[in-house]
Amino acid sequence: MSFGPAFDAKEQVRQAVDIVDLVGSYVQLRRQGRNFVGLCPWHDDSRPSMQVNPERQSFKCWVCDLGGDVFSFVMKAEGLEFREALELLAERAGIQLRTPSSPFEGESGPVRPEDDKRTLYRVMAWAEEQFHRCLLGAPEAEPGRRYLTDRGISPEIIRKWHLGFAPDRWDWILERASGTEWTPPILERVGLLRRKEMGGGFYDWFRGRVMFSIRDARSRPIAFGGRVLPQLAAERTAKYINSPETPLFSKSRELYGLEIARENFKAGGGAIIMEGYTDVLMAHQYGIDNCVAVLGTALGERHLQLLRRYTESITLVLDGDDAGRRRTNEILDNLLALFEKNQIDLRILTLPEGIDPCDFIATHGSDPFRQMLTQAVDALEHKFRTVTNGLDTLADTHRASQAAEQMLVTLASIRQAGGASSQSLLREEQMLSRVARKFHLPEESLRTRLSALRREAGGRKTSPPQARPTTDAPSGSPVPKLTDLPKSDRDVLELVFLDPSLVARLRPIIEPATMTSNAGRQIYAACCRLVEDGWQNDFGRLLAEFDDPAMKNLLVQLDESCQTKLTADRERWLADLLETSRRRGEETADRKRLAAARRQGSDAEQLLAQFCEQSKSKHLTEFERRKK
Ligand SMILES: [Zn+2]
């Protein structure tokens, strides 16, 4: 833990942001006694399980068993690293963070600009502006403007979505950047330049392309998608290219248009996920403004974690060509399980073959497209239609039994992931009886087979990948849960939480180093340090000592557990702790003496006898003392 200038900023931010205000800007809170309560945004909450404690400046969801402070709340809610959460809160509180820093910051000297995330955000904003202005006014952008006009994209959409143009040159952005602070290594880090394989130097990654700006949920440009001009298409292998993965951009966790569409999910009945940039733009242009697009990757778990913050219902719009169908079927089981686990409804709309959503909407308007959207089917139903498509269950018994088995495997994996909510049980029952009818099989035997599949899956543990927490705990020893914290550590910490003034009396006997667990040692050390600084019992201050959300969670759990011990006899508690510690210290000393003597080759047997005698008499006196 460092007490550099970054610490001052953190403390300043902490004092400026109130947890009730902050959580209240995400969930509606109402007062309940000394606390505030609201619906937890991270599980399907029907009664308020999220508790916010203004006095301790902490939050806690009893169902998720998750607690923390303003920093870890924002980290979780926005999917940010600690430093980003600090920046966001500082911005919110109008506090200027002075020290240049980045995730790479360390004692190893000043940070290179290409390693500073804030520099990277700024260069992306600059580049977006360059491409955008070029599209709006530069003579060489004429083919780009024509392409967008031909597709029917309006000037309003071009402005609102910051569309741009990259001229067909090897050094356009390189040249724009010369004489500015944007050096080639910075531009390379965000994927705008590539290094030449021979002879050194750099060249532009996007050439002769209409540029789609990809922004994150906080509306910061983080990447681009580039569509090649039609007249250059013949000589280029890829119609679309995206920015590579960079410190700012990972395609599996971003969605095109989310920062604009998310406002409209509620009114639009959920999120609509399309395949292309122009599909999304045209949909928005025609008022279907709850559309986003995946970025050259299949819809995955990270996307769901992102979307889950804003909606519980998703419609996936798929192109009707064979390749599209095959792609979907390959990932459908996995998707179904993911959605079940995240408790999001998934509906699928497969477009008739040859229909491109952008052209379709531009030609027919929004109503026919909305009409099509109503034909989206539940994902399980989609699976059923896929496996039974064109199948004569009486004539082709082999394929029929394969298809029935496929449905059962899907059902098994769904429940594996989602548990047994009454809704998913009901859906399973309905699907089982449909499969039975369709394939002329007795429901009972299907049920037996389903249980067998489920047992197999459970035994092999091949359920879909587990949700990873949005904030990865630092590597090294994992932070234990409260129940795993050794009782000896817990006893010390809880007493300190109840009354920090007792640290002065504990400290001479119980050193941080004598704590059993790593987490216990860190927390106790932080308490000791704070007390030296004149800490009273500002729990938020203690929480802010740790950046790791898992540690904050542990602190909140400890604090909650203290609340049941408010009336405990603290003097007695303290005396017991000191006595236990003293005895443990003596035993360790005895063992050390014995070991040292052994190493010196003394008469071990004699020493051992001596040791036994000593410790027996010690325990006897102890026993005598206790009896009195
Ligand atoms: Zn919860």
Side-chain angles (χ1 to χ4, degrees), residues 39-45 49-50 60-66:
L39 295 176
C40 170
W42 300 308
H43 77 271
D44 189 12
D45 198 4
S49 317
M50 173 65 75
K60 165 111 191 158
C61 169
W62 293 97
V63 179
C64 301
D65 196 21
L66 184 77

Side-chain angles (χ1 to χ4, degrees), residues 24-250:
S25 67
Y26 288 82
V27 264
Q28 202 169 356
L29 294 175
R30 66 182 160 78
R31 192 173 258 290
Q32 190 177 74
R34 296 163 73 182
N35 293 329
F36 287 81
V37 294
L39 295 176
C40 170
W42 300 308
H43 77 271
D44 189 12
D45 198 4
S46 52
R47 59 164 174 214
S49 317
M50 173 65 75
Q51 206 173 72
V52 180
N53 186 330
E55 193 188 321
R56 307 302 268 172
Q57 286 292 305
S58 65
F59 72 88
K60 165 111 191 158
C61 169
W62 293 97
V63 179
C64 301
D65 196 21
L66 184 77
D69 61 1
V70 287
F71 298 105
S72 56
F73 187 89
V74 171
M75 287 170 77
K76 171 96 181 151
E78 303 283 348
L80 303 176
E81 305 292 330
F82 178 81
R83 179 71 208 187
E84 298 169 309
L86 176 64
E87 283 167 9
L88 185 137
L89 289 175
E91 220 171 275
R92 189 188 155 100
I95 292 170
Q96 197 84 37
L97 294 181
R98 282 165 297 126
T99 49
S101 61
S102 79
F104 308 97
E105 187 183 36
E107 274 93 67
S108 52
V111 184
R112 294 181 304 171
E114 64 267 32
D115 290 335
D116 183 355
K117 260 192 175 179
R118 282 175 306 168
T119 305
L120 303 185
Y121 283 117
R122 287 198 299 122
V123 72
M124 287 305 281
W126 169 82
E128 184 192 76
E129 177 76 25
Q130 302 304 309
F131 293 131
H132 184 56
R133 274 207 227 143
C134 176
L135 177 71
L136 292 185
E140 56 190 331
E142 181 51 34
R145 289 191 288 270
R146 203 167 44 236
Y147 169 77
L148 290 168
T149 314
D150 286 351
R151 295 230 67 180
I153 307 282
S154 73
E156 290 73 38
I157 288 288
I158 289 174
R159 275 175 217 281
K160 185 172 179 193
W161 290 70
H162 318 280
L163 301 191
F165 184 73
D168 189 26
R169 279 160 47 185
W170 293 89
D171 58 358
W172 188 81
I173 201 77
L174 197 57
E175 223 164 63
R176 311 286 296 182
S178 80
T180 71
E181 59 179 304
W182 313 122
T183 60
I186 298 176
L187 295 166
E188 183 194 19
R189 183 55 77 89
V190 289
L192 287 168
L193 290 186
R194 293 202 130 189
R195 218 172 265 269
K196 286 181 188 161
E197 279 180 25
M198 307 254 273
F202 297 86
Y203 63 90
D204 280 23
W205 172 237
F206 294 100
R207 301 178 309 276
R209 288 176 186 268
V210 172
M211 301 291 280
F212 300 88
S213 171
I214 299 163
R215 293 185 164 206
D216 66 9
R218 288 172 61 192
S219 206
R220 297 175 296 191
I222 49 169
F224 295 99
R227 205 266 182 218
V228 74
L229 287 173
Q231 59 268 39
L232 297 174
E235 54 188 86
R236 301 283 168 86
T237 44
K239 192 155 98 176
Y240 283 95
I241 56 171
N242 286 338
S243 298
E245 303 275 308
T246 72
L248 307 184
F249 175 61
S250 163

Side-chain angles (χ1 to χ4, degrees), residues 423-497:
Q423 206 190 354
S424 70
L425 283 176
L426 180 66
R427 258 196 306 192
E428 180 180 300
E429 275 304 302
Q430 287 169 340
M431 191 41 77
L432 269 183
S433 59
R434 281 191 67 189
V435 174
R437 278 200 308 278
K438 179 82 185 175
F439 296 98
H440 316 286
L441 293 166
E443 248 181 84
E444 224 14 73
S445 63
L446 291 175
R447 217 166 260 130
T448 314
R449 178 69 189 136
L450 182 58
S451 325
L453 284 170
R454 205 164 271 149
R455 270 199 308 279
E456 262 175 50
R460 276 184 284 115
K461 285 262 178 250
T462 49
S463 51
Q466 292 296 303
R468 261 184 301 160
T470 29
T471 49
D472 302 321
S475 51
S477 63
V479 176
K481 288 206 203 89
L482 181 63
T483 43
D484 301 330
L485 202 66
K487 185 172 181 313
S488 55
D489 287 3
R490 203 171 147 168
D491 284 345
V492 174
L493 295 174
E494 286 183 349
L495 182 61
V496 172
F497 280 27

Side-chain angles (χ1 to χ4, degrees), residues 517-565:
S517 67
N518 189 22
R521 197 153 43 240
Q522 286 184 45
I523 297 171
Y524 183 54
C527 292
C528 292
R529 209 166 42 228
L530 287 173
V531 166
E532 265 171 32
D533 284 355
W535 182 53
Q536 300 290 317
N537 196 3
D538 180 355
F539 186 63
R541 179 77 182 76
L542 177 62
L543 280 168
E545 284 289 292
F546 298 91
D547 293 353
D548 180 359
M551 285 297 280
K552 290 182 195 281
N553 191 23
L554 180 62
L555 285 168
V556 172
Q557 287 177 333
L558 268 168
D559 191 45
E560 293 293 343
S561 139
C562 285
Q563 298 308 307
T564 60
K565 297 170 188 167

